Amino acid sequence: MNIIFKMSRVATAFIATLLLHSSCIAQPDSTGKGLKDYYKKYFNMGVAVSPRSLQTADTQLIIQQFNSLTPENAMKMGPIHPLENVYNWKDADAIVDFAVAHGMKVRGHNLCWHEQTPNWLFKDAKGDTVTKIVLLQRLKDHITNVVNRYKGKIYAWDVVNEAIDDDSTKFLRNSTWYKICGEDFIIKAFEYAHEADPNAVLFYNDYNTERPEKRERVYQLLKKLVDAKVPINGVGLQGHWSIYEPSAKELTDAIKRFAALGLKVQITELDMSVYPWEKERRQKRPGEIDTYTEDAERRQTEQYKMVFDIFRHNKKTITGITFWNISDKRTWLDGYPVPGRKNYPLLFDVNNKPKKAYWEVVKF
Ligand code: GLA
């Protein structure tokens, strides 16, 4: 009787272990290990956070899984510098303090972008558009103040975000920055950041960098900067991908192309949408399905496995991976670009539990 009881206990423990490690069943990682531990010999594993997420049930998951934080919004120019002489440090400080307290790194995001800019930035007191001299001085003041405040705590900055046009027949985006300064704003932004913190690793950051046409235009810009000895150290591939793209070849080609310029590569905003890429907002189509289907789950698991195989293979070039949000419970892709549509792009599900894709990513 006793023997049978013992045997059944052993069998139960064995089955439980099998289930836990089976790629078919998502369980919390009760090994206590997180992505940062599995990838210790490869790269930092990061996540984009809000200050609120550091005070909720998500906090434990963040601490268990990641060793690098990116402020999702708190350091963008609009939120952190709402008026010419007013800085709102509270949210950014909270994230940096949390990271320091938990021995995590911080990627600063971002110093110059055409979106989420404050209203005062491009206008003078009379409401007229400012001159190039004024705008560059404002950019310098902004970068100097923000970079200085976190000097020694933020190891890398996304200095310029998304300067390439969406139209493949054009080069630089016709943003207000560009209209007023031409391409000098890009060069200057890197120079100001380097002056403020010569030790910070400085990145150009963009999306769709694996699509050959966009890749080549980004390459052209980066080559210009490198040739002109502008202080740039790396390129951020945002990694807002989907179960449909990029292909293994596209991703490999992009990493190699940028590495050939002597630049480091980071994946800065990783997620894997279960829908095809659509940047423009549109209405939900009648009958459009927004459940996490078995097929989407299978394809997403394969796609995550594929990209992480490539990341590990390129560990000499890649120095960090950052996910854009923590779990499928809340992602910026919920309702974007289709209002009311739920997405499931991350490695943790709506209950913060690891998905099948997680187990594939840590199985190597
Ligand atoms: C871009 C920006 C990020 C974020 C995402 C969408 O990729 O770089 O800061 O705003 O869009 O959330």
Side-chain angles (χ1 to χ4, degrees), residues 61-80:
L61 187 65
I62 293 170
I63 294 171
Q64 185 196 38
Q65 297 292 329
F66 302 101
N67 54 9
S68 173
L69 299 183
T70 300
E72 182 177 1
N73 288 300
M75 285 183 193
K76 291 173 179 168
M77 206 166 178
I80 206 169

Side-chain angles (χ1 to χ4, degrees), residues 48 70-73 76 109-110 113 115-116 158 161-162 205-207 238-240 268-269 271 277 279 324-325 331-333 336:
T70 300
E72 182 177 1
N73 288 300
K76 291 173 179 168
H109 174 84
N110 55 52
W113 189 27
E115 282 186 30
Q116 292 184 254
D158 289 328
N161 204 28
E162 305 176 351
N205 194 47
D206 213 330
Y207 56 85
Q238 290 185 358
H240 290 302
T268 53
E269 306 185 16
D271 46 24
W277 169 269
K279 189 165 156 48
W324 207 251
N325 300 138
T331 141
W332 74 285
L333 291 168
Y336 180 83

Side-chain angles (χ1 to χ4, degrees), residues 174-240:
N174 196 21
S175 65
T176 316
W177 288 108
Y178 182 75
K179 283 183 189 140
I180 299 175
C181 301
E183 66 183 55
D184 282 356
F185 80 91
I186 301 174
I187 298 165
K188 291 293 172 195
F190 280 98
E191 289 177 358
Y192 302 150
H194 183 65
E195 235 171 82
D197 184 356
N199 292 323
V201 190
L202 305 183
F203 284 82
Y204 173 77
N205 194 47
D206 213 330
Y207 56 85
N208 288 347
T209 39
E210 306 67 37
R211 292 185 179 174
E213 58 82 8
K214 178 92 178 254
R215 181 196 72 211
E216 283 313 297
R217 288 181 296 140
V218 172
Y219 178 88
Q220 211 182 314
L221 170 64
L222 298 177
K223 181 159 182 4
K224 256 184 166 185
L225 299 178
V226 169
D227 287 350
K229 305 219 173 333
V230 172
I232 177 173
N233 309 105
V235 53
L237 316 187
Q238 290 185 358
H240 290 302

